[in-house]
Amino acid sequence: MADRQVLILEAAVRVIARSGVRGLRVEELAAEADVSTALIYYHFKDRAGLIRRTLDFISARATGYTDEAHSSAQDPRALLLQLLLGELQDTARVRENSIAWGELRASAKFDDDLRETLARSTRTWCRDTADSVADAQAAGLADLRADPEDVAARLTALVEGLSERWHSGSLTVERARALLSGAVDAELGRRPDEPV
Amino acid sequence: MADRQVLILEAAVRVIARSGVRGLRVEELAAEADVSTALIYYHFKDRAGLIRRTLDFISARATGYTDEAHSSAQDPRALLLQLLLGELQDTARVRENSIAWGELRASAKFDDDLRETLARSTRTWCRDTADSVADAQAAGLADLRADPEDVAARLTALVEGLSERWHSGSLTVERARALLSGAVDAELGRRPDEPV
DNA sequence: GTCTATAGGAAGATAGAC
DNA sequence: GTCTATCTTCCTATAGAC
């Protein structure tokens, strides 16, 4: 049962996705969550505490929802692609999380507190991706000379770079998805079943 | 002859690199540039105008300094790599510009004014990179099946992604450089002269 | 063009009742 | 736990002298 705290955190993600961390006004959040500003201070102590908790919340949610991609199971390589493309979908949910995630990254540059949270989430994501790459190799669907760790680091960093360009309007989602898909081919080699 | 305006803009880049766009206080900038706040408002009208001009300034500087990479000329493929690695160097100048550039991107998500500037600079960078990829192909140092535009879009987006991870502390510069170098190999194919 | 001094306002934070 | 009302701080922006 989502208590008030969680409702506030969810509202905070929406506000951050709309206005950025820098643009989050406690009063605006209060309106979005339909509570008083005082309640926010009661639960989160101060603005900085609120931001910290919100970003923890985001990163927890992010590690959660990549699992959803596993649902419509296919071969390991398709799964990897699906895992990565999951971050480049034009739905409210993904857009929200993705923008908020970018804000976490941007804020971490100037706030040591956030670096730890960010680094942990990034590590998890890279590890999961590396596992997926290794699976594809084991299934004979990826070049064995590629180091899974390196490939994963590059592909996930690329997803972040493409997301940023998408959200800042220099790229459409479709183009971003096509580019990402091409990168997987370049990194793993073309699929044996789909030559040229 | 660097006039006061330019001195203020240069100081603004330093302040933004240190505290972010969100963290820039006009008074802090005044101290950094060793002028009064009033002078800043005199030259730039208001805070928004200052930010806009600063980001124009950054993007002009960025398009400028990639040219410097052309100095120690080698073969086209090495040149491409050098062009890209230029953004991942741990010198005050590059770090400053790179962080400020990231801030431009982050701010553009919530400010339409900045999108135009950002999109233009990004386009220029991608075009230059694509040219460089095409040169490498022409010299027989890159897989001809790769589309220069696509490769350039991916490599530059990757550079941005890697920069972000570097600046937010999840990656060392050295690792970022190695990853980038590997991506060039994956995208263009291994160099004919340096197999396996 | 540049400064000192300060007005004015927005946003963060708290007091105190319920 | 939650609200209304309010205080306080910080920061943008300007007035006016030089």
Side-chain angles (χ1 to χ4, degrees):
Chain A
M1 274 314 315
D3 62 323
R4 281 293 230 259
Q5 286 209 36
V6 174
L7 290 180
I8 293 171
L9 288 170
E10 286 170 343
V13 178
R14 289 195 298 278
V15 173
I16 288 178
R18 191 194 311 138
S19 322
V21 167
R22 81 206 79 201
L24 182 147
R25 302 283 161 253
V26 177
E27 205 160 347
E28 186 192 355
L29 171 57
E32 176 77 28
D34 202 37
V35 299
S36 67
T37 64
L39 187 63
I40 294 172
Y41 285 101
Y42 172 78
H43 281 304
F44 302 97
K45 161 116 178 115
D46 57 15
R47 190 180 180 283
L50 166 71
I51 300 290
R52 217 176 311 117
R53 293 274 307 277
T54 304
L55 296 180
D56 284 346
F57 180 74
I58 290 167
S59 82
R61 236 171 53 159
T63 21
Y65 88 11
T66 52
D67 294 336
E68 296 169 16
H70 287 264
S71 48
S72 59
Q74 299 162 329
D75 71 72
R77 178 155 170 175
L79 218 59
L80 167 66
L81 184 60
Q82 202 176 315
L83 202 75
L84 296 167
L85 285 176
E87 305 291 322
L88 296 172
Q89 295 178 94
D90 203 359
T91 67
R93 162 106 182 194
V94 171
R95 212 180 320 112
E96 214 172 72
N97 234 79
S98 165
I99 294 185
W101 182 259
E103 283 293 304
L104 166 56
R105 230 177 305 125
S107 304
K109 289 183 202 162
F110 310 105
D111 179 346
D112 295 328
D113 264 15
L114 302 176
R115 294 191 164 212
E116 177 52 22
T117 300
L118 177 67
R120 195 177 23 242
S121 293
T122 303
R123 235 178 287 126
T124 303
W125 188 27
C126 284
R127 191 173 353 94
D128 290 351
T129 305
D131 288 348
S132 193
V133 170
D135 288 349
Q137 285 180 330
L141 295 168
D143 188 337
L144 290 167
R145 286 170 305 181
D147 176 42
E149 295 286 334
D150 288 0
V151 171
R154 282 197 289 265
L155 289 176
T156 54
L158 178 62
V159 169
E160 289 177 354
L162 292 171
S163 283
E164 294 262 315
R165 287 198 181 172
W166 166 31
H167 296 307
S168 57
S170 358
L171 225 54
T172 64
V173 218
E174 293 75 27
R175 172 95 172 118
R177 290 172 65 91
L179 287 169
L180 177 57
S181 177
V184 170
D185 289 341
E187 291 282 351
L188 305 187
R190 295 203 156 273
R191 296 186 65 106
D193 47 328
E194 283 172 309
V196 174
Chain B
M1 270 314 310
D3 64 322
R4 281 292 231 256
Q5 286 210 38
V6 174
L7 289 180
I8 293 171
L9 288 170
E10 286 171 343
V13 178
R14 289 195 298 278
V15 173
I16 288 178
R18 192 194 311 139
S19 324
V21 167
R22 81 206 79 197
L24 182 147
R25 301 283 160 255
V26 178
E27 205 160 349
E28 186 192 355
L29 170 57
E32 176 78 29
D34 202 39
V35 298
S36 66
T37 64
L39 188 64
I40 294 172
Y41 285 100
Y42 172 78
H43 281 304
F44 301 97
K45 160 114 177 116
D46 57 16
R47 189 180 181 284
L50 167 70
I51 300 289
R52 217 176 313 117
R53 292 273 308 278
T54 304
L55 296 180
D56 285 347
F57 180 74
I58 289 166
S59 84
R61 234 169 56 158
T63 22
Y65 87 11
T66 52
D67 293 338
E68 296 170 16
H70 287 264
S71 49
S72 59
Q74 300 162 331
D75 70 72
R77 177 154 171 175
L79 218 59
L80 168 66
L81 184 60
Q82 202 176 316
L83 201 74
L84 296 167
L85 285 175
E87 305 292 321
L88 296 172
Q89 295 179 92
D90 203 359
T91 67
R93 163 107 182 191
V94 170
R95 212 180 319 113
E96 213 172 73
N97 233 78
S98 166
I99 295 185
W101 182 259
E103 282 293 304
L104 165 57
R105 231 177 304 126
S107 304
K109 289 184 200 160
F110 310 105
D111 180 346
D112 295 328
D113 265 16
L114 301 176
R115 293 191 166 213
E116 177 52 22
T117 300
L118 177 67
R120 194 176 24 245
S121 292
T122 303
R123 235 178 288 126
T124 303
W125 188 28
C126 285
R127 193 175 349 96
D128 290 350
T129 305
D131 289 348
S132 192
V133 170
D135 288 349
Q137 285 180 330
L141 295 168
D143 188 338
L144 290 168
R145 286 170 306 181
D147 177 42
E149 295 286 335
D150 288 0
V151 171
R154 282 197 288 267
L155 288 176
T156 54
L158 178 63
V159 168
E160 289 177 356
L162 292 171
S163 284
E164 294 261 316
R165 287 198 180 171
W166 166 32
H167 296 308
S168 57
S170 355
L171 225 54
T172 63
V173 220
E174 293 74 27
R175 172 95 172 118
R177 290 172 65 90
L179 288 168
L180 177 57
S181 177
V184 171
D185 289 340
E187 291 283 352
L188 305 187
R190 296 203 155 273
R191 296 185 66 107
D193 48 326
E194 284 171 306
V196 174

